Amino acid sequence: MNNDNNEFLNWGESFTAQEDEFVLLDEGVYNFTVTKMEKKIYDGNSSKIKNGCPYAELNLQIESPKGTANVRERLYLMKSMQWKLTQFFMGIGQQVVVGQPFNPNWETVIGSKGKAEITQHSYTNQNGDDRTNNQVARYLKPTDPTPAVNANMNAQPAPQPQANGNWNNQQPNQQMPFQNQQQGTGQAQPNNGPQPGAF
């Protein structure tokens, strides 16, 4: 996958001056738009997840009074995380019936809109620096009356869907919390406990 941000800068050449684009949101409920999704296979160093587990890495774009925040979310395809998958797909309006088999429509995830409760998570990165990032605590159903902090802000249009590989429906039974990153350092979100839902 091509990414302009990965292009090298050369000695003796100019560069475009920029400020850090990270926006730390106040805790609360926000409207979001899924602007990116990549299908990946986990290959890391975790005691909570087996290598080979398929997952979707999402970018949730949130327009806020502080600016545009991009929250990275991982949806692991694991039986122990069916409750979180159920919550997400309900939240973006797909027709999920709790207790019934559900085949998610991954092709329509990019561009989907929903509402999520965002929390701030403090952690120590690999260099020993204290950091704070945005994390999704839960996805709300479209019928949930909780008002969004950014309800009156104009959302930016989402990019066109991108095909990023295929995966099968194997679901390892190990559990791994979702991770969001600030400046390239992932952090785990606590497990909120099992909730009903089936896939």
Side-chain angles (χ1 to χ4, degrees), residues 112-174:
S112 294
K113 298 178 184 297
K115 197 161 53 171
E117 180 182 353
I118 303 297
T119 59
Q120 293 182 0
H121 176 73
S122 298
Y123 63 96
T124 302
N125 69 11
Q126 294 174 347
N127 297 323
D129 301 321
D130 292 333
R131 302 285 187 187
T132 304
N133 64 8
N134 302 308
Q135 287 192 338
V136 175
R138 66 186 175 105
Y139 294 98
L140 282 68
K141 295 178 181 178
T143 56
D144 191 302
T146 306
V149 173
N150 60 345
N152 297 322
M153 300 201 62
N154 294 327
Q156 305 220 348
Q160 293 299 315
Q162 302 172 3
N164 289 304
N166 295 317
W167 53 21
N168 56 31
N169 290 325
Q170 295 177 351
Q171 298 179 342
N173 58 7
Q174 298 296 315

Side-chain angles (χ1 to χ4, degrees), residues 28-197:
V29 172
Y30 292 85
N31 292 321
F32 68 84
T33 301
V34 181
T35 58
K36 183 178 179 183
M37 181 184 82
E38 293 184 67
K39 295 177 180 179
K40 297 186 174 183
I41 301 295
Y42 183 78
D43 182 18
N45 186 21
S46 172
S47 61
K48 296 182 179 181
I49 186 171
K50 289 183 179 178
N51 285 345
C53 177
Y55 68 94
E57 185 170 281
L58 309 177
N59 184 76
L60 310 182
Q61 187 175 88
I62 297 174
E63 301 298 331
S64 79
K66 291 184 171 183
T68 301
N70 291 290
V71 180
R72 195 178 83 167
E73 175 77 309
R74 289 183 177 182
L75 299 178
Y76 292 92
L77 272 66
M78 303 175 359
K79 288 185 177 180
S80 60
M81 298 301 288
Q82 288 179 125
W83 65 271
K84 189 74 172 188
L85 293 164
T86 299
Q87 201 180 79
F88 172 75
F89 283 103
M90 277 187 173
I92 62 172
Q94 292 197 22
Q95 299 302 308
V96 184
V97 179
V98 173
Q100 298 295 320
F102 172 68
N103 188 14
N105 186 347
W106 293 100
E107 299 303 315
T108 63
V109 168
I110 296 178
S112 294
K113 298 178 184 297
K115 197 161 53 171
E117 180 182 353
I118 303 297
T119 59
Q120 293 182 0
H121 176 73
S122 298
Y123 63 96
T124 302
N125 69 11
Q126 294 174 347
N127 297 323
D129 301 321
D130 292 333
R131 302 285 187 187
T132 304
N133 64 8
N134 302 308
Q135 287 192 338
V136 175
R138 66 186 175 105
Y139 294 98
L140 282 68
K141 295 178 181 178
T143 56
D144 191 302
T146 306
V149 173
N150 60 345
N152 297 322
M153 300 201 62
N154 294 327
Q156 305 220 348
Q160 293 299 315
Q162 302 172 3
N164 289 304
N166 295 317
W167 53 21
N168 56 31
N169 290 325
Q170 295 177 351
Q171 298 179 342
N173 58 7
Q174 298 296 315
Q175 182 171 347
M176 177 65 178
F178 300 137
Q179 298 178 344
N180 293 321
Q181 287 192 347
Q182 174 190 359
Q183 300 174 346
T185 302
Q187 288 300 310
Q189 174 181 352
N191 181 6
N192 293 328
Q195 295 182 7

